[in-house]
Amino acid sequence: MHDENELLTARFEENRNHLRAVAFRILGSLSEADDAVQETWLRLSRSGAAGVENLGGWLTTVIGRICLDILRSRASRREEPLDTYVPGPADSRPDVLGPEHEALLADAVSSALLVVLDTLTPAERLVFVLHDLFAVPFTEVAPIVDRTPAAARQLAVRARLRVRGASTATDVDPARRREIVAAFLAATRDGDFDALLVLLDPDVVIRADRAAMKAGAAGEMRGAAAVARTILGRAKALRPALVNGTAGAVSVRDGHLRVVFGFTITGGRITGIDLLTDPAWLGGLDVTILDD
């Protein structure tokens, strides 16, 4: 029995990075993605893999259903304030960074796609991510959203059209992105609340990874006023940087990267901020610190 448990654990770990990448693209939240992965493991450990011919496909289906439930419950979930957030050291995670994990990191600091995905219905979002981004066949996606394969295909078509139409609006000139990030850092350092409101989209969302949450951050917060109050005066240690080639901000202490802010900018305003402090994430980023 002990050997069976070890084998099951090993097989799950082989799929962990893939599952995290799927969950993050569906949910747009690093902390919720990790929660979904953990719930997937709990369901596997309870049911076992007996009779499962394709464990990877089975796990993808399970995490898809978990993510769909999370998406559907968001509207009624109360957002917690980020009053106690202070950037600081984070816990470490012994994950091996594979291609899917690296792609997830790139998304986390250049999340224009996530902003577009937020405009889709839960079913459209799940079908689009699983089929278009991870090549899961419609015959496997359809049962997750309680649709026929043909109906699931139509969901994907609608989602694809909306994504293509909205993606153009998120494109911002790199020089302009750097100007906006620089203005954001100046406003936070100067304690200029009104200047921050001008830079932030009214529906801006800030997302934190699990390590930042352990330091006091909420997993997610929405709204310009709430985000501005949270960040105001707390970014004095941040410096402008290129993160995976995109304008961002970082905090370095004792020669080590401690905090990364990734920005999504749409129409000249900041629509998304990703807060990363987990060394396992930070170690996979390409960071170039810029002059202030």
Side-chain angles (χ1 to χ4, degrees):
M1 184 65 178
H2 182 69
D3 290 341
E4 290 181 3
N5 289 337
E6 287 187 349
L7 178 60
L8 191 64
T9 300
R11 294 180 66 189
F12 180 81
E13 291 302 321
E14 291 173 358
N15 289 276
R16 178 181 288 274
N17 282 344
H18 167 73
L19 295 174
R20 183 182 291 137
V22 169
F24 177 69
R25 286 178 173 89
I26 294 175
L27 299 172
S29 165
L30 298 171
S31 59
E32 285 186 331
D34 281 337
D35 288 342
V37 171
Q38 180 62 21
E39 177 62 24
T40 303
W41 160 247
L42 291 176
R43 295 190 186 186
L44 174 63
S45 63
R46 287 195 296 262
S47 63
V52 177
E53 295 183 3
N54 180 0
L55 183 62
W58 186 89
L59 291 171
T60 299
T61 297
V62 171
I63 203 166
R65 290 191 174 117
I66 292 169
C67 290
L68 186 61
D69 289 341
I70 293 173
L71 289 177
R72 287 171 172 168
S73 67
R74 276 184 178 174
S76 60
R77 188 182 65 204
R78 184 174 66 89
E79 301 296 344
E80 296 295 334
L82 202 58
D83 294 338
T84 58
Y85 162 62
V86 178
D91 62 327
S92 61
R93 183 184 295 140
D95 294 343
V96 176
L97 295 178
E100 287 169 334
H101 201 152
E102 291 173 355
L104 196 159
L105 283 167
D107 279 353
V109 294
S110 182
S111 53
L113 176 61
L114 295 176
V115 175
V116 178
L117 292 181
D118 279 343
T119 68
L120 306 179
T121 67
E124 287 173 342
R125 182 166 181 160
L126 183 135
V127 170
F128 175 80
V129 169
L130 290 183
H131 181 268
D132 283 39
L133 301 187
F134 290 94
V136 179
F138 286 120
T139 53
E140 297 178 21
V141 175
I144 302 176
V145 292
D146 296 322
R147 301 288 207 285
T148 65
R153 185 185 300 274
Q154 286 303 309
L155 287 175
V157 169
R158 290 205 302 267
R160 204 174 296 134
L161 290 174
R162 293 173 68 179
V163 168
R164 287 174 180 171
S167 293
T168 303
T170 65
D171 294 334
V172 179
D173 178 78
R176 177 58 180 151
R177 289 182 60 89
R178 289 177 60 173
E179 291 176 1
I180 293 171
V181 172
F184 170 88
L185 294 177
T188 58
R189 289 170 181 165
D190 296 340
D192 193 334
F193 183 80
D194 291 335
L196 271 181
L197 288 183
V198 171
L199 293 167
L200 298 173
D201 185 86
D203 297 319
V204 62
V205 56
I206 183 170
R207 301 179 177 94
D209 67 8
R210 184 178 298 278
M213 291 173 64
K214 288 183 177 180
E220 181 177 295
M221 171 175 283
R222 294 180 181 269
V227 171
R229 283 194 296 268
T230 297
I231 293 176
L232 201 63
R234 296 176 177 175
K236 297 184 184 298
L238 288 178
R239 301 175 61 186
L242 292 179
V243 184
N244 287 359
T246 301
V250 302
S251 175
V252 177
R253 190 172 66 192
D254 299 329
H256 297 287
L257 188 64
R258 299 295 187 181
V259 180
V260 167
F261 274 63
F263 298 89
T264 298
I265 300 173
T266 307
R269 283 190 167 186
I270 297 170
T271 54
I273 302 173
D274 291 293
L275 171 60
L276 308 177
T277 65
D278 189 330
W281 298 108
L282 302 186
L285 298 176
D286 179 14
V287 174
T288 302
I289 297 177
L290 305 174
D291 293 331
D292 291 320

